[in-house]
Amino acid sequence: MKRPRISFHKNQYELMNRLLSILLVLLVGAAAAVILICSFDSLRLGSALVKLQQTYSILSGEIVLPDLKGKEQRTEEFLERATAVNKDNSSAQAKYRLSQAQFLSSRGTVDHIQKSLQLCSALKSIEDAQKFSPANSNYQILAINILTTISHEKFSCPDKTSDLLITQLHQAIAHAEKLAPASPAALLALSQANLELGNKLQALQSLRRLQLLGSTLSEQEQLYIFNLPDNSEELALLLPTTYPAFLPWIQYFSQVRSTDFSRWNDTFARALLQALLDLEQRLDKNKIGEEDYIRFILDIANLDYALENNEARKKLDTIMANIFGRNNNLTWSNILNQRKDMVRIPILKAGMELDKAPEASMLSSWLDDTSKESIAFNKNNSALGFYLPENYLPQLIILEAAERQKNISAESIALYASSDNQAYYPYKQDAQIQSLSLADRHYIVISIKQPTFRYFKILYSNSMGDGSFRQRLTRLVQVYGTQIKQ
Amino acid sequence: MKLNLSKIFFTLLCSLPLLVSPARSENIIRLALPYVPGELHPLAIEEPVNRIILANIASSLVRTDKDKIILDAATRLESTAAQDEWNITINPQAKFRSKSPADEYFVQDSYNFYSNLARELSADSAKQNNSHSDNPAYQTHLINSIPPYLLEKLLSIKTDIVISRSSQQGALYRVQLTEPSANFSKWVLTLPLINAKQAVAFAQLLGSGTNTPFLGPYSLSENRPEQLIVLRANDYYYRPTYPRTAVIEFRSYASATDALSALRTGAIDIIPFPTAEMIADTQNDTIISQMENPLINLKQSPKISNWKLYRNFWSQPNNEQDQLITETLLKRKTLQSDDNFRLFFDLTGCKSILSY
């Protein structure tokens, strides 16, 4: 009688164990997914740090060489093969290959004496190759790279003093300029050699020519160029003034060299305006079609900077108002026609995740108008606030969502105002709130007339809010109006 | 094996609430004060309430412990033998709320901001200009709490940036003085670093709003004059794992008796300026401890002649027992503090063990 009971318990126990095992697997799977999602951000951060470290290594004076496309990993094999070939073959090409292998090998050497010997051997090999073929530009470029590295490391070679090597570098530069003035590799080598010799202007001119050639640069080469300008004049020499070449410059400077970006704002504005002019000319000369032109203009308008700089934004507003007018989008055409005559007001911004008592809660943790912090607006009872500096009269408040986010209705928006940031009142004056869309983006456009308050709160009150109206603060809320002259 | 699996599952199930709950609950330190100002002033270093709030929202490049220089946002400080040139390396992690690094330009802007402020304050007409203040009497009190020597020193500053590019070790800022000064680090580098552009945008310095654009561990999140000031921890503070407490509240209590009751019940953690009666009542108390007020250390340097309290009594003028004492403070024994609190009234390393 007992056996079946025991058997019954065992079955039940096994069943329970199996169920629990499945649950455990699911739980571990879910935990792994959470960790994966969390680590995604870390990975992105890691990648950003690598970039930053690269930037620092460039700043600390490390020589940047043309992209070697993975050749460094096979250095030893490459050197062995080149040495073996050289024993049976004394052609210029074999000497060049040997020099290249020796130079590559020196890059991975930490020991200073060993590195110096490798570089001197590389120099000897390339000089031998040049004896056979003195007009070969590739040989000349390699010679410049080797001499620049020797000079940078402050090495000397057994039969050459440092001074002699510097003289040789000068001669190599002069010779390369005649041999290959339009070669990207030569221009990059010349820029670094000139930098090493303290001729920064010549270095920048080489890089300007390199950029005008439109050649594809590696990430490290691009970082090297981004970090060269030390003042606005040097930036003006390097900054491209055509679309889309200037875009990565604006993106890099606004994110990595933000202080320089704001100090040299005028130079960037000039480049952007010049690029807009260039696009117009390309359209007029039928080098691009109307459809491409509109696409390029919208792409430029997507830059935060294009909205932050009044001069550039006014020009873009004029262009886009005309485009929308021609395409019968009269709502946007009218808004942009109004906005083109307004200034962007440098408000201070504050976001509140939960504002259950909007009439009594204060705004705090203020951020600049151009803050890049990402904030979600449409969570139930969330609020966005701003402080209006003196001497500005706001007329237009624009809330902009990121691309492909859900729209929010004008009815879920309420405007509050305060004169002291302590007591807020529903804004009863004439305010028109519209919910609009444009090219995969949603907007809330609020027109106001002559407010007398300094603090404003835009409250979202809809329990269906999911936080998808998210955007960098610089775009999320923009206030335009007029500046009162004192 | 199967039994072990179910044991593991149950263990995991039991620990699930721990896994999904936030790493740190929002803990609060509350301080009771006889008055809570609606305004703050970064130069009013002789006003003790102003000073202890600033100690938690406004960091400087260096701090001083008596004659010793302690680096704060700076990671290195050197001067030439003649002491007319000072080289300061700034912590690359030091960032304002806007995430802008506190680089050499912000440092220069900070000192230009204070120099301009000193110039304005030195002009007699500016002292009378209370148009922005909700409480002109308190603003006058704040201005009277700015030591004249500080204004003089600020007016003599001349700064020149030599190196403008950041290095891996942080931005290097070089200051050249018109006259050599051994005390430069004490009277200038201890001033709070400020986002001058943001401060100027508000027109009035800090006013009745919440604009405290300093580089610091906390930001002012609520300011109700005469009632409450709330500080909230910044998640971008440059000292890892600090601040340990998410929120600090400075609350005004109508009477010393109310404040002491609140301390006994745990509604508050610190009374920075107890009355003579409170000190007598809490001798050898089981839950309240008395300690030397960090203000004593702050008084040493820069040399402060006297603390200038807005009121010398909690609520009963001329009652000796109600007189405010600045040499001792009262705190609950459940509040853990560290050297930074003892030296600078810096609450970033403090936490109430009851908050966990």
Side-chain angles (χ1 to χ4, degrees):
Chain A
M1 283 297 283
K2 280 180 187 172
R3 285 177 73 93
R5 274 181 67 193
I6 292 168
S7 160
F8 173 76
H9 272 289
K10 263 190 175 172
N11 285 341
Q12 193 185 41
Y13 189 69
E14 267 182 21
L15 187 68
M16 192 181 80
N17 261 335
R18 277 188 186 184
L19 269 171
L20 290 178
S21 308
I22 291 164
L23 274 171
L24 182 62
V25 167
L26 285 173
L27 192 70
V28 170
V34 170
I35 291 165
L36 202 68
I37 290 162
C38 294
S39 63
F40 181 68
D41 266 359
S42 315
L43 282 174
R44 280 181 13 187
L45 187 69
S47 152
L49 282 176
V50 168
K51 277 188 188 173
L52 211 62
Q53 278 162 1
Q54 281 176 345
T55 314
Y56 280 135
S57 73
I58 291 161
L59 290 178
S60 66
E62 193 176 287
I63 293 284
V64 179
L65 288 164
D67 192 10
L68 295 165
K69 298 179 178 66
K71 281 178 188 164
E72 281 153 310
Q73 288 166 6
R74 296 185 287 117
T75 307
E76 287 311 310
E77 183 194 331
F78 193 31
L79 184 59
E80 275 173 31
R81 205 166 352 126
T83 312
V85 168
N86 240 268
K87 279 179 187 165
D88 310 324
N89 183 351
S90 56
S91 71
Q93 191 61 11
K95 300 272 179 215
Y96 169 65
R97 293 280 174 225
L98 178 64
S99 174
Q100 218 177 18
Q102 288 163 329
F103 182 48
L104 271 177
S105 183
S106 76
R107 291 182 68 183
T109 307
V110 182
D111 181 75
H112 269 234
I113 296 168
Q114 183 69 16
K115 190 171 191 154
S116 156
L117 288 172
Q118 283 170 332
L119 282 167
C120 292
S121 304
L123 183 62
K124 175 82 176 59
S125 304
I126 197 66
E127 283 170 350
D128 289 346
Q130 283 180 307
K131 279 177 198 160
F132 288 103
S133 185
N136 188 313
S137 59
N138 286 340
Y139 300 178
Q140 196 62 23
I141 292 163
L142 183 59
I144 289 174
N145 280 334
I146 297 167
L147 283 163
T148 305
T149 311
I150 291 175
S151 165
H152 185 72
E153 299 282 354
K154 298 187 172 44
F155 290 150
S156 57
C157 290
D159 52 343
K160 286 175 181 168
T161 62
S162 302
D163 288 347
L164 190 65
L165 286 163
I166 296 284
T167 311
Q168 202 177 335
L169 181 56
H170 277 288
Q171 288 166 349
I173 290 172
H175 192 41
E177 277 169 351
K178 285 178 202 157
L179 279 179
S183 144
L187 290 170
L188 197 64
L190 282 173
S191 79
Q192 297 197 66
N194 273 315
L195 266 188
E196 180 56 34
L197 295 171
N199 306 325
K200 191 164 184 186
L201 187 65
Q202 283 93 322
L204 296 177
Q205 278 163 347
S206 298
L207 293 172
R208 184 179 170 78
R209 278 162 64 199
L210 175 68
Q211 294 203 107
L212 288 174
L213 288 175
S215 39
T216 310
L217 299 173
S218 73
E219 197 174 313
Q220 206 185 7
E221 287 160 356
Q222 189 68 70
L223 277 173
Y224 158 71
I225 299 174
F226 284 155
N227 280 287
L228 277 183
D230 278 324
N231 52 52
S232 58
E233 289 77 27
E234 289 179 2
L235 174 73
L237 256 180
L238 289 182
L239 184 62
T241 53
T242 52
Y243 173 87
F246 74 96
L247 290 179
W249 280 81
I250 288 185
Q251 279 156 354
Y252 182 81
F253 269 75
S254 63
Q255 285 166 26
V256 182
R257 294 182 66 179
S258 53
T259 314
D260 291 335
F261 186 61
S262 50
R263 285 168 64 221
W264 305 336
N265 202 292
D266 290 348
T267 310
F268 285 103
R270 273 196 299 274
L272 201 152
L273 288 168
Q274 185 57 43
L276 288 173
L277 191 67
D278 178 64
L279 276 180
E280 268 180 3
Q281 287 168 352
R282 277 151 76 182
L283 178 73
D284 290 344
K285 290 176 186 168
N286 291 324
K287 288 184 178 173
I288 51 171
E290 170 92 7
E291 206 175 304
D292 282 338
Y293 176 71
I294 295 173
R295 196 158 50 85
F296 297 161
I297 291 292
L298 287 176
D299 194 27
I300 294 173
N302 277 339
L303 274 179
D304 292 347
Y305 180 69
L307 288 180
E308 290 162 5
N309 183 278
N310 272 319
E311 220 182 328
R313 195 254 317 150
K314 283 179 179 181
K315 178 72 183 165
L316 268 172
D317 282 351
T318 310
I319 294 171
M320 291 198 298
N322 288 337
I323 290 173
F324 293 133
R326 286 202 299 272
N327 289 283
N328 291 325
N329 187 342
L330 297 180
T331 310
W332 273 108
S333 179
N334 288 339
I335 290 171
L336 295 174
N337 256 325
Q338 283 173 40
R339 197 176 74 167
K340 76 175 178 12
D341 298 322
M342 298 177 191
V343 293
R344 178 162 171 167
I345 302 177
I347 54 172
L348 293 174
K349 301 170 178 177
M352 285 181 87
E353 280 234 352
L354 193 65
D355 191 8
K356 281 195 169 171
E359 296 186 358
S361 56
M362 300 178 88
L363 292 166
S364 64
S365 299
W366 297 96
L367 288 163
D368 297 333
D369 188 34
T370 55
S371 166
K372 303 291 182 274
E373 192 154 317
S374 183
I375 285 183
F377 170 58
N378 61 330
K379 285 183 182 169
N380 194 22
N381 291 318
S382 67
L384 261 179
F386 62 88
Y387 168 82
L388 189 68
E390 283 179 7
N391 305 324
Y392 284 99
L393 204 60
Q395 289 159 285
L396 200 60
I397 303 168
I398 296 181
L399 304 187
E400 180 186 318
E403 278 176 299
R404 291 180 289 278
Q405 301 290 352
K406 272 190 262 173
N407 203 358
I408 53 177
S409 67
E411 291 72 39
S412 53
I413 304 288
L415 195 61
Y416 284 78
S418 166
S419 54
D420 58 5
N421 194 25
Q422 291 186 42
Y424 280 84
Y425 305 96
Y427 189 76
K428 301 274 190 200
Q429 294 173 38
D430 191 11
Q432 189 196 351
I433 305 177
Q434 299 177 80
S435 175
L436 300 170
S437 297
L438 177 68
D440 281 351
R441 281 178 198 247
H442 296 296
Y443 297 82
I444 295 289
V445 178
I446 306 170
S447 304
I448 49 173
K449 283 180 186 165
Q450 304 201 339
T452 51
F453 299 98
R454 299 245 75 86
Y455 297 87
F456 288 85
K457 245 185 215 181
I458 306 159
L459 193 79
Y460 181 80
S461 51
N462 184 333
S463 57
M464 302 299 281
D466 57 1
S468 61
F469 201 98
R470 174 179 280 279
Q471 176 64 283
R472 292 182 303 283
L473 210 44
T474 183
R475 298 189 83 101
L476 184 60
V477 55
Q478 308 152 39
V479 180
Y480 298 93
T482 46
Q483 189 167 13
I484 304 159
K485 299 247 165 35
Q486 280 186 313
Chain B
M1 179 64 190
K2 281 172 185 168
L3 185 67
N4 284 345
L5 211 56
S6 36
K7 266 188 182 171
I8 293 165
F9 175 77
F10 280 117
T11 314
L12 272 174
L13 203 64
C14 294
S15 60
L16 202 58
L18 292 175
L19 290 171
V20 295
S21 67
R24 187 179 71 170
S25 60
E26 187 167 278
N27 42 33
I28 304 178
I29 294 176
R30 294 184 176 91
L31 295 91
L33 292 169
Y35 58 91
V36 172
E39 294 175 46
L40 297 167
H41 199 297
L43 298 182
I45 58 173
E46 292 187 338
E47 212 302 320
V49 173
N50 184 68
R51 190 74 189 265
I52 63 173
I53 297 171
L54 282 176
N56 292 285
I57 58 172
S59 298
S60 49
L61 288 169
V62 300
R63 302 196 271 204
T64 50
D65 172 16
K66 298 186 177 67
D67 285 330
K68 207 164 75 185
I69 298 290
I70 296 175
L71 299 177
D72 192 357
T75 53
R76 204 166 158 189
L77 177 67
E78 291 166 337
S79 74
T80 52
Q83 294 190 312
D84 58 348
E85 189 178 301
W86 292 74
N87 291 331
I88 308 145
T89 307
I90 308 162
N91 188 331
Q93 302 304 318
K95 287 178 182 159
F96 285 96
R97 169 99 178 85
S98 60
K99 297 199 173 89
S100 309
D103 59 17
E104 60 274 29
Y105 301 106
F106 275 99
V107 174
Q108 193 190 41
D109 286 351
S110 287
Y111 295 128
N112 286 340
F113 176 82
Y114 290 126
S115 300
N116 290 337
L117 207 56
R119 211 166 291 124
E120 278 175 32
L121 289 165
S122 297
D124 286 343
S125 55
K127 286 185 184 172
Q128 309 303 322
N129 184 10
N130 293 327
S131 57
H132 285 305
S133 180
D134 295 331
N135 185 349
Y138 190 77
Q139 199 184 55
T140 306
H141 166 68
L142 272 182
I143 288 170
N144 289 335
S145 306
I146 303 170
Y149 75 85
L150 185 61
L151 297 183
E152 283 167 26
K153 296 291 183 192
L154 280 170
L155 289 173
S156 69
I157 298 172
K158 182 179 173 286
T159 61
D160 285 319
I161 289 177
V162 176
I163 295 172
S164 59
R165 295 288 292 272
S166 298
S167 70
Q168 206 160 3
Q169 285 73 40
L172 183 76
Y173 177 62
R174 187 170 296 166
V175 183
Q176 256 146 3
L177 303 178
T178 45
E179 287 173 19
S181 169
N183 290 323
F184 171 72
S185 54
K186 275 191 186 175
W187 48 256
V188 175
L189 300 182
T190 50
L191 288 175
L193 286 166
I194 193 166
N195 180 342
K197 204 171 128 195
Q198 192 174 321
V200 170
F202 257 74
Q204 71 196 98
L205 188 56
L206 304 169
S208 57
T210 48
N211 182 36
T212 50
F214 297 110
L215 174 89
Y218 290 93
S219 291
L220 191 67
S221 70
E222 202 168 343
N223 175 12
R224 299 200 177 278
E226 288 300 316
Q227 293 176 45
L228 175 78
I229 274 185
V230 182
L231 310 184
R232 189 165 283 279
N234 293 327
D235 53 8
Y236 50 86
Y237 185 49
Y238 52 87
R239 285 169 63 205
T241 75
Y242 288 85
R244 289 184 175 166
T245 295
V247 176
I248 295 176
E249 283 184 9
F250 295 88
R251 280 181 181 275
S252 163
Y253 278 78
S255 71
T257 319
D258 291 350
L260 188 59
S261 303
L263 187 66
R264 286 198 191 287
T265 56
I268 57 165
D269 302 284
I270 302 172
I271 300 180
F273 312 114
T275 60
E277 191 175 18
M278 281 177 178
I279 292 174
D281 285 355
T282 53
Q283 295 285 346
N284 305 318
D285 198 284
T286 49
I287 51 169
I288 298 167
S289 63
Q290 296 181 359
M291 66 175 269
E292 187 182 81
N293 200 316
L295 285 172
I296 287 178
N297 190 64
L298 290 174
K299 201 173 174 178
Q300 311 266 340
S301 171
K303 236 177 193 170
I304 291 169
S305 52
N306 213 351
W307 288 114
K308 290 178 177 151
L309 282 155
Y310 186 48
R311 288 202 298 263
N312 289 315
F313 298 87
W314 198 291
S315 57
Q316 303 167 45
N318 307 322
N319 176 354
E320 266 185 34
Q321 290 301 302
D322 206 47
Q323 189 167 2
L324 299 169
I325 308 292
T326 54
E327 285 80 25
T328 304
L329 69 69
L330 303 183
K331 73 173 193 71
R332 283 180 67 84
K333 288 179 177 170
T334 48
L335 184 82
Q336 292 179 339
S337 59
D338 62 0
D339 274 355
N340 281 337
F341 176 64
R342 187 179 56 77
L343 293 173
F344 311 115
F345 220 113
D346 172 350
L347 290 156
T348 51
C350 298
K351 63 175 181 182
S352 170
I353 53 174
L354 291 182
S355 298
Y356 289 94

